[in-house]
C-alpha cells in the first residue's frame, strides 16, 4: 500500500493516564479494545460546524469541498469519538449519512495491512501536536477494496494538550492508479534500459554468426514478449535464415535462400533501410496482398521487420512477430530499432570473423599434410589446434615421412610468428625438409640442409624443429633437435619421461650449423610424443610446469572411446588439457608415434642401411644399430664378432670407392639348425679386394685376414655394376 512519508520531528512523548490528585501529566489517553494506547484513528467531524476555538468554516469552503468530492472529519481525542460528514462517510464506505464512530471501529474498516500504518502515524501526530496523512484501503461491505487518502492536524487545548484532530478525506483510487501506472512505466523503462545493456553485452561477446543467431533468438524482450523471432542475412538478393525461434521448419524453409521479391515487407525494409511495422493481419493483407497468402499460414497477427544496416549497407533482417494483433507504441518501436542496430553491428563483425577464420583454416589445411601415411610397424596420431585470437593461423606444423628401407621420419616444428607470412614460410620449409628426408639423408644432414634452406630464403624468420628417424625394424630412434622441445616417451608400463636430445641452433640462424644425433630405443607399445611450445608454455605457465603437466597427461591408463585406437585417446587427452581456445595465445601441433613391433613380438630379422661416401660417423651409428638388432634377434653372442667384421667391410667399401655403400644384415632361422647371420656390403666399384700378408709395420691390409679368420664363410660376388662382399656367422659355433 502506497503511503506518504512520516513527518519528521522531535522524539515521541509518552501519553499516559491522569496523575493522582486530578492533575494530568499529559494528554488524555484513548481507551481501545487492546488497552489504553495513545492513538486513535483518523476521520471526520463535519467541517461546517464551528470549531472549539470559536472559528467558523468560511462560506466558500463548503461548495469547494463538495465540488472536489472532499469530506471532512473531526476526532475528539478525549472522548475517542470520530465524527465525519456525509461525503467522508461515503468515501470510507460507512454509509450515506453522517458518521459518528470510535477509533477502533474505524480501524476495523481498514485493510489489515494499512491499519497499523494509520495507527502509527496518528500516534506520532498526537504526541508531537503535528499533522499526518496516508493512503489506505477500506474494506467495503461487499468485500471490495476502496482507496482513500486523508490529511489531518492535531489541535491543542488552552493548556497545550492534544484535544482533537481535524482534517479532510477524499477518494484516492484514480490517484493511486495514476501512481501505479507511473511506477509500472518507470519499471518498464528501467527493464528496457537494462535489456539494452544486457543485449549489447551478449552481442559483443558473440564471435561467430552462429553465436549472434543464438543470442538474438534467446533475447527476452521486456514488455513485449514476441511469439516468433527470425534472423536472416542478406546477400546477392537472397535471404539466408541464420536462426529462428517460435516457427516450425516448414514455415521458414520456403524463405531460406529464396530470391527476395519486391512485394514482400522484408524487401521494403531492406530497400528503404527503415523498419516496417504491421499491427494486424488485415493491415498485412491490405499493404502486401501478394505476400499475404504465404504469411497467413504462420498464424501470426502482428509483425516488425527490422533491417540490419552496417556501414550504410543492408546486411540482413530481423523479424519480430506476435500471435495477437498489436499496435506498438513509440517506445516499443524505438526499443526494436535500437535492438536492430545492435544486431547489425554484431552480425557484421561476426561475418568478418567467420570469413577470416575460413581463410585461415583453408590456408592452414593446405600447409599441413592432408593425411598421415600409414607405415607398417608403427601407429601415428596428429592434432592441430589454432590460436584463440587473430587469424587463428600460425607457423606450427607436423609431418610423417616414409623413408627408404621401410623406416619413418617424424617432423615437428614452429616458425616464428602467428600470421600468414609465418604460415607461408612454414609451408616452404615443410616441403623442403620432407624432400631432404625422403632422399635418404641421415637426420643430422636433413636438419643442416633445412637450416641452410631457411637461411637462404632471407625472410628474417627462424624456426625451431625436431626431426626423428625411427628404425621400424627394431624401434631405434635417431633424433635431432634445433632449438625445439625435447620429446616425451610413454613407456609400456604407462609411465612417461622427457627424453633428452642434444640441441642446436634454430633453423635459419646459421647456414653452416651442424647438428648432433641422439639415439634412443623403444620397446614394442612405447610411444614418442612431439609437440610445439603452445601446448606447454603460456603467460600463466612456465615451460618446466608445462612439461610436467604434459608428462602427467601422457602417463596413466588409456580408455579408448568407441573401440578406437588407444593412441587416438591419448592424443585427445593431451589436447583436452590444453588452454581453452578463447584464451590460447599460440597454435599447437602434436605428433604421436607408437612402435608396435613386429608380429609375434619378435624383431624383424633384417637391417638395411645406406652409408654415405666418406661418412665415417655413419659407420659408428651403424655399429650401434647392429648391436641393438642382434640383441633383439636373440643372438647377442654374435655382437662382438659381427661388429668387428662389419666395420672392416664397410670401411673398406667407402674408403676405396667414390659412391655410397649399402649394408644389409639378415638372420636366417632354418629348421633344426642354429641361427645363421649373413652380412652383405654392396658398392659400385669394379675393384675387387685382394688378400695379402702385410708386414709388421704395415697400417692396413689385415681386414680380409680378420674376415677369413673369424667368419664361418665369406666371399665376393659381382652385381653387374659393382660387387657384393659378404660373410656369415653361426650362433651355435660362435658360442
Amino acid at each position: 500500500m502506497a503511503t506518504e512519508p512520516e513527518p519528521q520531528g522531535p522524539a515521541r512523548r509518552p501519553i499516559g493516564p491522569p496523575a493522582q490528585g486530578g492533575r494530568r501529566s499529559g494528554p488524555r489517553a484513548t481507551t481501545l479494545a487492546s488497552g489504553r494506547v495513545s492513538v486513535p484513528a483518523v476521520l471526520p467531524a463535519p467541517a461546517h460546524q464551528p470549531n472549539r476555538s470559536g472559528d467558523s468554516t468560511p462560506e466558500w469552503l463548503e461548495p469547494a469541498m463538495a465540488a472536489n468530492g472532499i469530506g471532512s472529519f473531526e476526532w475528539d481525542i478525549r472522548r475517542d469519538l470520530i465524527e465525519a460528514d456525509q461525503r467522508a462517510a461515503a468515501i470510507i464506505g460507512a454509509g450515506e449519512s453522517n458518521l459518528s464512530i470510535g477509533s477502533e471501529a474505524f480501524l476495523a474498516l481498514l485493510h489489515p495491512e494499512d491499519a497499523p500504518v494509520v495507527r502509527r502515524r496518528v500516534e506520532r501526530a498526537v504526541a508531537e501536536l503535528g499533522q499526518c496523512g496516508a493512503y489506505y484501503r477500506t474494506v467495503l461491505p461487499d468485500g471490495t477494496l476502496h482507496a482513500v487518502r486523508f490529511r489531518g492536524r492535531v489541535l491543542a487545548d488552552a493548556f497545550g494538550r492534544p484535544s482533537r484532530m481535524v482534517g479532510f478525506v477524499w477518494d484516492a483510487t484514480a490517484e493511486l492508479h495514476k501512481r501505479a501506472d507511473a511506477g509500472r512505466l518507470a519499471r518498464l523503462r528501467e527493464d528496457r534500459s537494462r535489456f539494452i545493456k544486457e543485449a549489447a553485452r551478449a552481442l559483443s561477446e558473440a564471435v561467430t554468426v552462429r553465436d549472434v543467431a543464438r543470442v538474438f533468438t534467446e533475447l527476452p524482450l521486456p514488455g513485449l514478449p514476441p511469439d516468433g523471432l527470425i534472423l536472416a542475412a542478406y546477400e546477392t538478393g537472397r535471404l539466408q535464415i541464420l536462426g529462428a525461434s517460435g516457427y516450425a521448419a516448414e514455415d521458414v524453409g520456403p524463405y531460406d535462400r529464396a530470391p527476395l521479391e519486391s512485394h514482400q515487407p522484408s524487401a521494403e525494409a531492406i530497400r528503404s533501410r527503415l523498419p516496417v511495422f504491421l499491427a494486424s493481419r488485415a493491415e498485412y493483407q491490405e499493404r502486401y496482398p501478394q505476400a499475404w497468402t504465404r504469411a497467413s499460414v504462420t498464424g501470426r497477427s502482428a509483425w516488425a521487420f527490422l533491417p540490419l544496416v552496417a556501414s550504410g549497407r543492408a546486411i540482413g533482417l530481423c523479424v519480430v512477430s506476435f500471435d495477437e494483433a498489436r499496435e506498438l507504441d513509440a517506445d516499443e518501436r524505438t526499443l526494436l530499432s535500437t535492438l536492430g542496430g545492435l544486431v547489425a553491428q554484431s552480425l557484421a563483425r561476426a561475418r568478418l570473423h567467420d570469413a577470416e577464420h575460413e581463410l585461415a583454416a583453408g590456408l592452414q589445411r593446405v600447409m599441413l599434410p592432408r593425411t598421415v601415411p600409414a607405415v607398417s610397424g608403427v601407429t601415428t596420431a596428429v592434432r592441430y589446434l589454432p590460436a584463440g585470437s587473430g587469424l587463428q593461423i600460425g607457423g606450427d606444423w607436423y609431418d610423417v615421412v616414409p623413408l627408404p628401407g621401410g623406416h619413418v621420419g617424424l617432423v615437428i616444428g614452429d616458425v616464428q610468428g602467428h600470421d600468414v607470412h609465418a604460415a607461408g614460410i612454414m609451408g616452404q620449409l615443410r616441403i623442403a625438409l620432407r624432400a631432404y628426408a625422403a632422399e635418404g639423408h641421415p637426420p643430422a644432414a636433413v636438419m643442416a640442409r633445412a637450416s641452410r634452406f631457411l637461411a637462404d630464403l632471407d625472410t628474417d624468420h627462424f624456426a625451431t624443429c625436431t626431426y626423428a628417424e625411427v628404425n621400424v625394424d627394431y624401434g631405434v630412434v635417431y633424433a635431432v633437435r634445433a632449438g625445439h622441445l625435447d620429446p616425451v616417451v610413454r613407456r609400456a608400463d604407462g609411465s612417461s619421461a622427457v627424453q633428452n636430445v642434444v640441441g642446436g641452433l634454430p633453423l635459419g640462424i646459421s647456414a653452416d650449423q651442424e647438428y648432433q644425433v641422439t639415439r634412443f630405443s623403444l620397446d614394442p607399445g612405447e610411444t614418442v610424443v612431439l609437440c610445439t611450445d603452445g601446448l606447454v608454455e603460456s603467460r600463466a605457465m612456465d615451460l618446466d610446469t608445462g612439461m610436467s603437466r604434459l608428462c602427467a597427461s601422457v602417463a596413466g591408463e588409456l580408455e579408448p572411446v568407441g573401440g578406437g585406437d588407444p593412441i587416438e585417446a591419448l592424443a585427445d587427452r593431451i589436447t583436452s588439457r590444453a588452454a581453452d581456445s578463447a584464451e590460447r595465445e599460440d597454435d599447437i601441433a602434436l605428433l604421436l608415434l607408437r612402435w608396435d613391433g613386429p608380429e609375434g613380438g619378435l624383431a624383424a630379422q633384417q637391417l638395411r642401411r645406406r652409408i654415405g661416401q666418406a661418412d665415417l660417423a655413419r659407420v659408428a651409428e651403424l655399429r650401434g644399430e647392429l648391436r641393438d638388432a642382434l640383441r633383439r634377434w636373440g643372438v647377442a653372442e654374435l655382437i662382438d664378432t659381427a661388429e668387428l667384421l662389419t666395420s672392416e667391410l664397410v670401411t673398406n667399401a667407402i674408403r676405396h670407392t667414390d659412391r655410397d655403400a649399402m649394408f644389409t644384415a639378415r638372420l636366417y632361422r632354418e629348421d633344426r639348425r642354429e641361427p645363421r647371420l649373413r652380412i652383405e656390403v654392396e658398392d659400385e666399384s669394379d675393384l675387387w679386394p685382394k688378400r695379402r700378408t702385410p708386414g709388421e709395420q704395415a697400417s692396413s691390409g689385415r681386414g680380409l685376414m680378420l674376415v677369413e679368420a673369424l667368419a664361418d664363410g665369406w666371399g665376393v660376388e659381382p652385381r653387374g655394376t659393382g660387387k657384393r662382399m659378404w660373410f656369415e656367422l653361426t650362433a651355435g659355433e660362435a658360442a
Side-chain angles (χ1 to χ4, degrees):
M1 180 65 190
T3 58
E4 296 178 344
E6 298 186 15
Q8 301 296 321
R12 183 183 305 169
R13 298 193 304 268
I15 302 175
Q20 295 294 330
R23 296 189 347 185
R24 298 182 180 274
S25 58
R28 176 186 175 187
T30 301
T31 303
L32 301 179
S34 58
R36 298 177 64 85
V37 181
S38 58
V39 53
V42 179
L43 282 172
H48 62 276
Q49 296 180 356
N51 57 37
R52 301 294 177 88
S53 61
D55 298 333
S56 60
T57 302
E59 295 182 357
W60 54 267
L61 182 57
E62 175 60 25
M65 294 175 59
N68 290 278
I70 299 176
S72 61
F73 70 90
E74 180 181 21
W75 173 39
D76 190 325
I77 297 176
R78 293 188 177 91
R79 294 188 299 154
D80 188 22
L81 179 62
I82 301 173
E83 295 180 339
D85 63 12
Q86 183 178 352
R87 284 191 301 274
I91 290 172
I92 67 174
E96 298 296 333
S97 59
N98 293 349
L99 177 68
S100 180
I101 191 175
S103 60
E104 282 301 318
F106 166 72
L107 291 175
L109 299 175
L110 307 188
H111 190 281
E113 295 178 358
D114 300 339
V117 177
V118 173
R119 178 192 296 272
R120 184 172 63 253
R121 295 195 175 186
V122 170
E123 269 190 331
R124 185 166 186 172
V126 170
E128 298 173 356
L129 291 177
Q131 57 183 354
C132 63
Y135 289 98
Y136 60 84
R137 293 164 293 178
T138 60
V139 183
L140 301 182
D142 59 0
T144 60
L145 296 178
H146 188 61
V148 179
R149 185 180 181 184
F150 84 92
R151 193 75 183 172
R153 185 178 186 86
V154 176
L155 302 178
D157 59 10
F159 300 100
R161 296 171 298 185
S163 172
R164 59 196 179 100
M165 174 184 284
V166 295
F168 302 101
V169 61
W170 62 93
D171 190 318
T173 303
E175 187 176 342
L176 285 180
H177 286 172
K178 184 176 180 181
R179 292 183 61 179
D181 290 342
R184 181 182 61 81
L185 292 176
R187 289 191 298 272
L188 182 58
R189 285 192 295 270
E190 183 179 354
D191 291 343
R192 288 174 177 173
S193 177
R194 186 184 305 111
F195 165 78
I196 289 296
K197 294 179 181 179
E198 293 177 354
R201 178 189 57 78
L203 289 171
S204 66
E205 295 175 355
V207 178
T208 66
V209 171
R210 179 176 296 182
D211 294 338
V212 175
R214 175 185 53 81
V215 170
F216 173 74
T217 54
E218 294 177 356
L219 287 176
L221 294 173
L224 62 159
D227 299 295
L229 291 171
I230 297 177
L231 177 64
Y234 177 70
E235 191 171 359
T236 64
R238 297 173 183 267
L239 286 177
Q240 177 187 357
I241 305 299
L242 303 177
S245 64
Y247 283 93
E250 56 270 18
D251 291 337
V252 298
Y255 295 95
D256 190 21
R257 300 183 184 277
L260 193 60
E261 301 173 354
S262 59
H263 59 265
Q264 296 175 333
S266 53
E268 180 180 341
I270 290 178
R271 183 174 58 253
S272 65
R273 302 178 190 172
L274 296 174
V276 174
F277 298 100
L278 301 174
S280 65
R281 296 169 67 88
E283 183 180 358
Y284 195 122
Q285 185 174 9
E286 178 183 355
R287 293 179 58 181
Y288 306 98
Q290 293 177 285
W292 171 245
T293 302
R294 182 182 293 181
S296 61
V297 299
T298 62
R300 300 290 189 257
S301 299
W303 298 262
F305 296 87
L306 310 173
L308 304 181
V309 181
S311 301
R313 184 172 63 90
I315 63 171
L317 182 76
C318 293
V319 181
V320 182
S321 59
F322 307 89
D323 286 344
E324 303 296 332
R326 181 168 192 148
E327 182 70 40
L328 300 176
D329 59 27
D331 289 341
E332 292 171 336
R333 296 190 178 194
T334 300
L335 175 67
L336 291 178
S337 299
T338 303
L339 176 62
L342 294 175
V343 175
Q345 297 301 318
S346 182
L347 180 61
R349 184 178 62 254
R351 291 176 65 178
L352 180 60
H353 172 274
D354 286 355
E356 292 178 344
H357 184 270
E358 182 59 29
L359 173 63
L363 180 59
Q364 197 76 50
R365 285 193 298 268
V366 172
M367 295 299 180
L368 292 175
R370 293 180 61 87
T371 58
V372 175
V375 179
S376 178
V378 297
T379 304
T380 57
V382 295
R383 295 290 187 273
Y384 178 79
L385 302 177
S389 60
L391 286 180
Q392 297 184 336
I393 190 172
D396 292 16
W397 89 94
Y398 57 80
D399 207 351
V400 177
V401 186
L403 301 177
H407 297 176
V408 61
L410 306 179
V411 185
I412 195 82
D414 182 4
V415 176
Q416 170 197 12
H418 307 94
D419 51 19
V420 176
H421 191 197
I425 296 174
M426 176 268 285
Q428 298 178 72
L429 182 59
R430 183 182 76 83
I431 295 172
L433 197 149
R434 182 182 182 90
Y436 296 144
E439 288 177 353
H441 297 289
V446 170
M447 196 69 84
R449 295 189 179 201
S451 180
R452 188 178 304 115
F453 171 82
L454 183 56
D456 291 343
L457 288 180
D458 193 21
T459 62
D460 293 330
H461 280 64
F462 64 86
T464 63
C465 181
T466 294
Y467 173 70
E469 181 178 331
V470 181
N471 189 319
V472 180
D473 294 337
Y474 55 95
V476 174
V477 181
Y478 300 90
V480 181
R481 187 167 63 89
H484 203 74
L485 303 173
D486 286 316
V488 173
V489 177
R490 173 186 166 87
R491 297 302 179 185
D493 60 359
S495 63
S496 65
V498 175
Q499 176 64 52
N500 293 322
V501 174
V502 178
L505 293 177
L507 304 180
I509 298 295
S510 172
D512 300 324
Q513 174 68 26
E514 295 183 358
Y515 296 91
Q516 299 184 35
V517 177
T518 300
R519 178 178 172 275
F520 60 93
S521 300
L522 300 174
D523 289 330
E526 295 186 340
T527 303
V528 178
V529 179
L530 303 174
C531 68
T532 54
D533 57 357
L535 182 66
V536 296
E537 190 175 21
S538 66
R539 294 182 181 178
M541 181 172 60
D542 59 71
L543 182 59
D544 291 339
T545 302
M547 291 299 292
S548 298
R549 292 184 180 181
L550 175 60
C551 290
S553 299
V554 172
E557 296 294 330
L558 292 178
E559 298 181 0
V561 179
D565 194 289
I567 197 171
E568 296 292 340
L570 178 59
D572 290 337
R573 184 167 73 186
I574 294 173
T575 54
S576 67
R577 298 182 182 181
D580 182 77
S581 60
E583 303 174 356
R584 193 164 48 244
E585 302 169 351
D586 197 359
D587 51 340
I588 296 173
L590 177 67
L591 172 59
L592 286 73
L593 178 138
R594 183 185 66 226
W595 184 58
D596 298 325
E599 288 187 43
L602 296 176
Q605 308 291 291
Q606 176 176 304
L607 173 63
R608 287 178 61 86
R609 298 298 287 172
R610 179 175 293 276
I611 310 299
Q613 219 295 315
D615 188 358
L616 297 180
R618 194 65 163 169
V619 177
E621 295 176 6
L622 178 62
R623 289 198 298 266
E625 292 185 14
L626 181 61
R627 285 195 301 270
D628 284 344
L630 296 180
R631 187 177 296 109
R632 291 176 183 274
W633 296 348
V635 289
E637 64 270 21
L638 300 180
I639 290 177
D640 293 339
T641 304
E643 183 180 356
L644 174 61
L645 300 185
T646 295
S647 296
E648 293 296 333
L649 264 62
V650 171
T651 303
N652 184 71
I654 64 176
R655 181 177 180 182
H656 298 290
T657 65
D658 56 357
R659 301 291 180 87
D660 294 349
M662 178 61 73
F663 168 86
T664 305
R666 296 187 182 92
L667 184 68
Y668 297 94
R669 297 181 182 273
E670 301 173 355
D671 294 341
R672 299 181 181 181
R673 298 184 65 178
E674 296 296 336
R676 179 169 53 91
L677 175 67
R678 181 182 176 91
I679 292 180
E680 301 172 350
V681 178
E682 301 175 7
D683 61 57
E684 298 182 4
S685 173
D686 293 330
L687 296 177
W688 282 55
K690 295 180 180 180
R691 182 181 181 281
R692 58 191 176 89
T693 303
E696 294 183 359
Q697 302 299 322
S699 60
S700 63
R702 297 182 177 85
L704 290 184
M705 294 179 61
L706 291 174
V707 173
E708 184 178 21
L710 299 179
D712 296 324
W714 72 282
V716 182
E717 301 173 355
R719 292 183 53 247
T721 58
K723 61 184 179 296
R724 176 189 297 117
M725 295 187 63
W726 62 271
F727 68 86
E728 291 184 353
L729 298 173
T730 303
E733 295 179 5

